[in-house]
PDB file of all heavy atoms in Angstrom:
ATOM      1  N   GLY A 710      90.723  34.080  55.155  1.00 94.00           N
ATOM      2  CA  GLY A 710      89.462  34.240  55.851  1.00 94.00           C
ATOM      3  C   GLY A 710      88.225  33.992  55.050  1.00 94.00           C
ATOM      4  O   GLY A 710      87.124  34.053  55.570  1.00 94.00           O
ATOM      5  N   ALA A 711      88.377  33.728  53.761  1.00 92.00           N
ATOM      6  CA  ALA A 711      87.179  33.473  52.872  1.00 92.00           C
ATOM      7  C   ALA A 711      87.091  32.023  52.469  1.00 92.00           C
ATOM      8  O   ALA A 711      86.393  31.756  51.480  1.00 92.00           O
ATOM      9  CB  ALA A 711      87.329  34.405  51.652  1.00 92.00           C
ATOM     10  N   GLU A 712      87.684  31.144  53.209  1.00 92.00           N
ATOM     11  CA  GLU A 712      87.622  29.759  52.851  1.00 92.00           C
ATOM     12  C   GLU A 712      86.270  29.101  52.929  1.00 92.00           C
ATOM     13  O   GLU A 712      85.883  28.300  52.100  1.00 92.00           O
ATOM     14  CB  GLU A 712      88.649  28.942  53.659  1.00 92.00           C
ATOM     15  CG  GLU A 712      90.093  29.319  53.533  1.00 92.00           C
ATOM     16  CD  GLU A 712      90.505  30.508  54.329  1.00 92.00           C
ATOM     17  OE1 GLU A 712      89.716  30.923  55.203  1.00 92.00           O
ATOM     18  OE2 GLU A 712      91.575  31.111  54.024  1.00 92.00           O
ATOM     19  N   LEU A 713      85.527  29.475  53.955  1.00 90.00           N
ATOM     20  CA  LEU A 713      84.218  28.834  54.197  1.00 90.00           C
ATOM     21  C   LEU A 713      83.207  29.928  54.610  1.00 90.00           C
ATOM     22  O   LEU A 713      83.461  30.641  55.609  1.00 90.00           O
ATOM     23  CB  LEU A 713      84.339  27.745  55.307  1.00 90.00           C
ATOM     24  CG  LEU A 713      83.213  26.751  55.517  1.00 90.00           C
ATOM     25  CD1 LEU A 713      83.139  25.841  54.221  1.00 90.00           C
ATOM     26  CD2 LEU A 713      83.460  25.856  56.704  1.00 90.00           C
ATOM     27  N   ALA A 714      82.077  30.014  53.861  1.00 87.00           N
ATOM     28  CA  ALA A 714      81.096  31.042  54.161  1.00 87.00           C
ATOM     29  C   ALA A 714      80.108  30.509  55.204  1.00 87.00           C
ATOM     30  O   ALA A 714      79.550  29.418  55.014  1.00 87.00           O
ATOM     31  CB  ALA A 714      80.384  31.461  52.923  1.00 87.00           C
ATOM     32  N   PRO A 715      79.777  31.214  56.287  1.00 86.00           N
ATOM     33  CA  PRO A 715      78.834  30.745  57.272  1.00 86.00           C
ATOM     34  C   PRO A 715      77.427  30.752  56.603  1.00 86.00           C
ATOM     35  O   PRO A 715      77.081  31.515  55.723  1.00 86.00           O
ATOM     36  CB  PRO A 715      78.844  31.822  58.335  1.00 86.00           C
ATOM     37  CG  PRO A 715      80.182  32.500  58.161  1.00 86.00           C
ATOM     38  CD  PRO A 715      80.420  32.467  56.698  1.00 86.00           C
ATOM     39  N   ARG A 716      76.557  29.855  57.106  1.00 83.00           N
ATOM     40  CA  ARG A 716      75.210  29.780  56.623  1.00 83.00           C
ATOM     41  C   ARG A 716      74.358  30.961  57.098  1.00 83.00           C
ATOM     42  O   ARG A 716      73.453  31.432  56.452  1.00 83.00           O
ATOM     43  CB  ARG A 716      74.573  28.425  57.083  1.00 83.00           C
ATOM     44  CG  ARG A 716      73.132  28.235  56.531  1.00 83.00           C
ATOM     45  CD  ARG A 716      72.654  26.825  56.878  1.00 83.00           C
ATOM     46  NE  ARG A 716      71.362  26.627  56.332  1.00 83.00           N
ATOM     47  CZ  ARG A 716      70.211  26.817  56.968  1.00 83.00           C
ATOM     48  NH1 ARG A 716      70.268  27.317  58.201  1.00 83.00           N
ATOM     49  NH2 ARG A 716      69.063  26.617  56.413  1.00 83.00           N
ATOM     50  N   ASP A 717      74.654  31.424  58.296  1.00 84.00           N
ATOM     51  CA  ASP A 717      73.927  32.557  58.897  1.00 84.00           C
ATOM     52  C   ASP A 717      74.262  33.853  58.029  1.00 84.00           C
ATOM     53  O   ASP A 717      75.438  34.194  57.928  1.00 84.00           O
ATOM     54  CB  ASP A 717      74.318  32.781  60.352  1.00 84.00           C
ATOM     55  CG  ASP A 717      73.592  33.952  60.942  1.00 84.00           C
ATOM     56  OD1 ASP A 717      72.401  33.821  61.298  1.00 84.00           O
ATOM     57  OD2 ASP A 717      74.230  35.047  61.143  1.00 84.00           O
ATOM     58  N   LEU A 720      76.469  36.620  59.936  1.00 88.00           N
ATOM     59  CA  LEU A 720      77.864  36.196  60.050  1.00 88.00           C
ATOM     60  C   LEU A 720      78.569  36.229  58.646  1.00 88.00           C
ATOM     61  O   LEU A 720      79.737  36.587  58.567  1.00 88.00           O
ATOM     62  CB  LEU A 720      77.995  34.813  60.662  1.00 88.00           C
ATOM     63  CG  LEU A 720      78.026  34.697  62.202  1.00 88.00           C
ATOM     64  CD1 LEU A 720      78.212  33.250  62.568  1.00 88.00           C
ATOM     65  CD2 LEU A 720      79.178  35.571  62.782  1.00 88.00           C
ATOM     66  N   ALA A 721      77.826  35.768  57.668  1.00 90.00           N
ATOM     67  CA  ALA A 721      78.372  35.753  56.232  1.00 90.00           C
ATOM     68  C   ALA A 721      78.798  37.136  55.795  1.00 90.00           C
ATOM     69  O   ALA A 721      79.825  37.339  55.280  1.00 90.00           O
ATOM     70  CB  ALA A 721      77.481  35.066  55.318  1.00 90.00           C
ATOM     71  N   LEU A 723      79.333  39.765  57.728  1.00 92.00           N
ATOM     72  CA  LEU A 723      80.420  40.295  58.576  1.00 92.00           C
ATOM     73  C   LEU A 723      81.751  39.755  58.153  1.00 92.00           C
ATOM     74  O   LEU A 723      82.761  40.472  58.079  1.00 92.00           O
ATOM     75  CB  LEU A 723      80.128  39.926  60.030  1.00 92.00           C
ATOM     76  CG  LEU A 723      81.189  40.309  61.114  1.00 92.00           C
ATOM     77  CD1 LEU A 723      81.318  41.826  61.147  1.00 92.00           C
ATOM     78  CD2 LEU A 723      80.861  39.691  62.423  1.00 92.00           C
ATOM     79  N   LYS A 724      81.782  38.429  57.841  1.00 92.00           N
ATOM     80  CA  LYS A 724      83.028  37.813  57.464  1.00 92.00           C
ATOM     81  C   LYS A 724      83.508  38.314  56.142  1.00 92.00           C
ATOM     82  O   LYS A 724      84.671  38.542  55.903  1.00 92.00           O
ATOM     83  CB  LYS A 724      82.807  36.293  57.416  1.00 92.00           C
ATOM     84  CG  LYS A 724      84.078  35.472  57.245  1.00 92.00           C
ATOM     85  CD  LYS A 724      83.790  34.017  57.433  1.00 92.00           C
ATOM     86  CE  LYS A 724      85.073  33.140  57.305  1.00 92.00           C
ATOM     87  NZ  LYS A 724      84.748  31.690  57.488  1.00 92.00           N
ATOM     88  N   ARG A 725      82.562  38.454  55.186  1.00 92.00           N
ATOM     89  CA  ARG A 725      82.913  38.938  53.828  1.00 92.00           C
ATOM     90  C   ARG A 725      83.481  40.341  53.875  1.00 92.00           C
ATOM     91  O   ARG A 725      84.450  40.685  53.175  1.00 92.00           O
ATOM     92  CB  ARG A 725      81.655  38.858  52.917  1.00 92.00           C
ATOM     93  CG  ARG A 725      81.962  39.317  51.454  1.00 92.00           C
ATOM     94  CD  ARG A 725      80.673  39.340  50.665  1.00 92.00           C
ATOM     95  NE  ARG A 725      79.810  40.463  51.164  1.00 92.00           N
ATOM     96  CZ  ARG A 725      78.592  40.221  51.712  1.00 92.00           C
ATOM     97  NH1 ARG A 725      78.133  39.039  51.819  1.00 92.00           N
ATOM     98  NH2 ARG A 725      77.852  41.236  52.146  1.00 92.00           N
ATOM     99  N   ILE A 728      86.241  40.533  57.834  1.00 92.00           N
ATOM    100  CA  ILE A 728      87.226  39.523  58.250  1.00 92.00           C
ATOM    101  C   ILE A 728      88.127  39.121  57.070  1.00 92.00           C
ATOM    102  O   ILE A 728      89.349  39.076  57.172  1.00 92.00           O
ATOM    103  CB  ILE A 728      86.462  38.325  58.876  1.00 92.00           C
ATOM    104  CG1 ILE A 728      85.626  38.792  60.048  1.00 92.00           C
ATOM    105  CG2 ILE A 728      87.531  37.314  59.295  1.00 92.00           C
ATOM    106  CD1 ILE A 728      86.336  39.386  61.167  1.00 92.00           C
ATOM    107  N   GLY A 758      78.156  27.163  53.543  1.00 51.00           N
ATOM    108  CA  GLY A 758      76.782  27.504  53.842  1.00 51.00           C
ATOM    109  C   GLY A 758      75.837  26.361  54.009  1.00 51.00           C
ATOM    110  O   GLY A 758      74.643  26.502  54.184  1.00 51.00           O
ATOM    111  N   GLY A 762      76.587  23.318  59.251  1.00 65.00           N
ATOM    112  CA  GLY A 762      77.944  23.805  59.226  1.00 65.00           C
ATOM    113  C   GLY A 762      78.889  22.899  58.599  1.00 65.00           C
ATOM    114  O   GLY A 762      78.563  21.936  57.921  1.00 65.00           O
ATOM    115  N   GLY A 763      80.175  23.143  58.753  1.00 84.00           N
ATOM    116  CA  GLY A 763      81.216  22.344  58.104  1.00 84.00           C
ATOM    117  C   GLY A 763      82.573  22.854  58.539  1.00 84.00           C
ATOM    118  O   GLY A 763      82.718  23.718  59.382  1.00 84.00           O
ATOM    119  N   GLY A 764      83.605  22.222  57.956  1.00 92.00           N
ATOM    120  CA  GLY A 764      84.942  22.600  58.230  1.00 92.00           C
ATOM    121  C   GLY A 764      85.768  22.622  56.956  1.00 92.00           C
ATOM    122  O   GLY A 764      85.475  22.020  55.990  1.00 92.00           O
ATOM    123  N   TYR A 795      92.510  26.526  59.458  1.00 97.00           N
ATOM    124  CA  TYR A 795      91.349  25.557  59.681  1.00 97.00           C
ATOM    125  C   TYR A 795      90.156  26.396  60.102  1.00 97.00           C
ATOM    126  O   TYR A 795      90.225  27.126  61.074  1.00 97.00           O
ATOM    127  CB  TYR A 795      91.692  24.491  60.691  1.00 97.00           C
ATOM    128  CG  TYR A 795      90.537  23.553  60.990  1.00 97.00           C
ATOM    129  CD1 TYR A 795      90.144  22.616  60.046  1.00 97.00           C
ATOM    130  CD2 TYR A 795      89.786  23.721  62.149  1.00 97.00           C
ATOM    131  CE1 TYR A 795      89.047  21.829  60.258  1.00 97.00           C
ATOM    132  CE2 TYR A 795      88.667  22.896  62.381  1.00 97.00           C
ATOM    133  CZ  TYR A 795      88.325  21.963  61.448  1.00 97.00           C
ATOM    134  OH  TYR A 795      87.206  21.126  61.644  1.00 97.00           O
ATOM    135  N   THR A 796      89.091  26.250  59.336  1.00 94.00           N
ATOM    136  CA  THR A 796      87.850  26.995  59.589  1.00 94.00           C
ATOM    137  C   THR A 796      86.725  26.077  59.959  1.00 94.00           C
ATOM    138  O   THR A 796      86.544  25.025  59.400  1.00 94.00           O
ATOM    139  CB  THR A 796      87.439  27.836  58.356  1.00 94.00           C
ATOM    140  OG1 THR A 796      88.589  28.628  57.936  1.00 94.00           O
ATOM    141  CG2 THR A 796      86.266  28.714  58.655  1.00 94.00           C
ATOM    142  N   ARG A 797      85.985  26.462  60.974  1.00 92.00           N
ATOM    143  CA  ARG A 797      84.849  25.644  61.404  1.00 92.00           C
ATOM    144  C   ARG A 797      83.641  26.546  61.658  1.00 92.00           C
ATOM    145  O   ARG A 797      83.801  27.576  62.328  1.00 92.00           O
ATOM    146  CB  ARG A 797      85.216  24.914  62.701  1.00 92.00           C
ATOM    147  CG  ARG A 797      84.157  24.093  63.348  1.00 92.00           C
ATOM    148  CD  ARG A 797      83.994  22.747  62.736  1.00 92.00           C
ATOM    149  NE  ARG A 797      82.906  21.987  63.315  1.00 92.00           N
ATOM    150  CZ  ARG A 797      82.584  20.756  62.904  1.00 92.00           C
ATOM    151  NH1 ARG A 797      83.286  20.171  61.967  1.00 92.00           N
ATOM    152  NH2 ARG A 797      81.611  20.107  63.525  1.00 92.00           N
ATOM    153  N   ASN A 798      82.546  26.207  61.115  1.00 87.00           N
ATOM    154  CA  ASN A 798      81.286  26.959  61.421  1.00 87.00           C
ATOM    155  C   ASN A 798      80.101  26.042  61.670  1.00 87.00           C
ATOM    156  O   ASN A 798      80.159  24.847  61.320  1.00 87.00           O
ATOM    157  CB  ASN A 798      80.962  28.025  60.326  1.00 87.00           C
ATOM    158  CG  ASN A 798      80.751  27.407  58.973  1.00 87.00           C
ATOM    159  OD1 ASN A 798      80.235  26.295  58.890  1.00 87.00           O
ATOM    160  ND2 ASN A 798      81.128  28.139  57.974  1.00 87.00           N
ATOM    161  N   GLY A 799      79.027  26.577  62.231  1.00 79.00           N
ATOM    162  CA  GLY A 799      77.906  25.716  62.541  1.00 79.00           C
ATOM    163  C   GLY A 799      76.771  26.537  63.201  1.00 79.00           C
ATOM    164  O   GLY A 799      76.901  27.748  63.365  1.00 79.00           O
ATOM    165  N   GLY A 800      75.669  25.837  63.562  1.00 69.00           N
ATOM    166  CA  GLY A 800      74.564  26.498  64.124  1.00 69.00           C
ATOM    167  C   GLY A 800      73.563  27.007  63.092  1.00 69.00           C
ATOM    168  O   GLY A 800      73.848  27.008  61.923  1.00 69.00           O
ATOM    169  N   GLY A 807      71.666  29.373  67.556  1.00 77.00           N
ATOM    170  CA  GLY A 807      72.848  30.181  67.598  1.00 77.00           C
ATOM    171  C   GLY A 807      73.657  30.000  66.290  1.00 77.00           C
ATOM    172  O   GLY A 807      73.270  29.158  65.430  1.00 77.00           O
ATOM    173  N   ALA A 808      74.698  30.700  66.121  1.00 82.00           N
ATOM    174  CA  ALA A 808      75.531  30.584  64.934  1.00 82.00           C
ATOM    175  C   ALA A 808      77.000  30.949  65.307  1.00 82.00           C
ATOM    176  O   ALA A 808      77.156  31.888  66.122  1.00 82.00           O
ATOM    177  CB  ALA A 808      75.036  31.478  63.821  1.00 82.00           C
ATOM    178  N   GLY A 809      77.905  30.252  64.774  1.00 88.00           N
ATOM    179  CA  GLY A 809      79.291  30.516  65.079  1.00 88.00           C
ATOM    180  C   GLY A 809      80.227  30.274  63.903  1.00 88.00           C
ATOM    181  O   GLY A 809      79.882  29.520  62.984  1.00 88.00           O
ATOM    182  N   ASP A 810      81.338  30.939  63.991  1.00 89.00           N
ATOM    183  CA  ASP A 810      82.375  30.755  62.902  1.00 89.00           C
ATOM    184  C   ASP A 810      83.754  30.977  63.593  1.00 89.00           C
ATOM    185  O   ASP A 810      83.925  32.037  64.273  1.00 89.00           O
ATOM    186  CB  ASP A 810      82.143  31.690  61.751  1.00 89.00           C
ATOM    187  CG  ASP A 810      83.089  31.501  60.626  1.00 89.00           C
ATOM    188  OD1 ASP A 810      84.215  32.094  60.660  1.00 89.00           O
ATOM    189  OD2 ASP A 810      82.790  30.695  59.740  1.00 89.00           O
ATOM    190  N   ALA A 811      84.650  30.091  63.376  1.00 93.00           N
ATOM    191  CA  ALA A 811      85.995  30.196  64.019  1.00 93.00           C
ATOM    192  C   ALA A 811      87.066  29.800  63.030  1.00 93.00           C
ATOM    193  O   ALA A 811      86.842  28.946  62.208  1.00 93.00           O
ATOM    194  CB  ALA A 811      86.110  29.375  65.293  1.00 93.00           C
ATOM    195  N   ARG A 812      88.223  30.472  63.092  1.00 95.00           N
ATOM    196  CA  ARG A 812      89.301  30.175  62.223  1.00 95.00           C
ATOM    197  C   ARG A 812      90.620  30.189  63.025  1.00 95.00           C
ATOM    198  O   ARG A 812      90.917  31.139  63.729  1.00 95.00           O
ATOM    199  CB  ARG A 812      89.395  31.146  61.086  1.00 95.00           C
ATOM    200  CG  ARG A 812      90.627  30.956  60.133  1.00 95.00           C
ATOM    201  CD  ARG A 812      90.522  31.771  58.886  1.00 95.00           C
ATOM    202  NE  ARG A 812      90.495  33.226  59.228  1.00 95.00           N
ATOM    203  CZ  ARG A 812      91.385  34.161  58.865  1.00 95.00           C
ATOM    204  NH1 ARG A 812      92.418  33.769  58.160  1.00 95.00           N
ATOM    205  NH2 ARG A 812      91.219  35.424  59.150  1.00 95.00           N
ATOM    206  N   LEU A 813      91.402  29.118  62.902  1.00 97.00           N
ATOM    207  CA  LEU A 813      92.731  29.046  63.466  1.00 97.00           C
ATOM    208  C   LEU A 813      93.704  29.072  62.246  1.00 97.00           C
ATOM    209  O   LEU A 813      93.626  28.250  61.382  1.00 97.00           O
ATOM    210  CB  LEU A 813      92.931  27.748  64.271  1.00 97.00           C
ATOM    211  CG  LEU A 813      94.311  27.545  64.878  1.00 97.00           C
ATOM    212  CD1 LEU A 813      94.606  28.595  65.916  1.00 97.00           C
ATOM    213  CD2 LEU A 813      94.415  26.139  65.434  1.00 97.00           C
TER     214      LEU A 813
END
Side-chain angles (χ1 to χ4, degrees):
E712 295 82 15
L713 197 64
R716 184 172 181 270
D717 180 75
L720 272 183
L723 176 66
K724 190 172 183 179
R725 181 188 66 244
I728 303 299
Y795 177 71
T796 306
R797 176 83 180 180
N798 60 33
D810 184 271
R812 176 172 58 120
L813 178 66

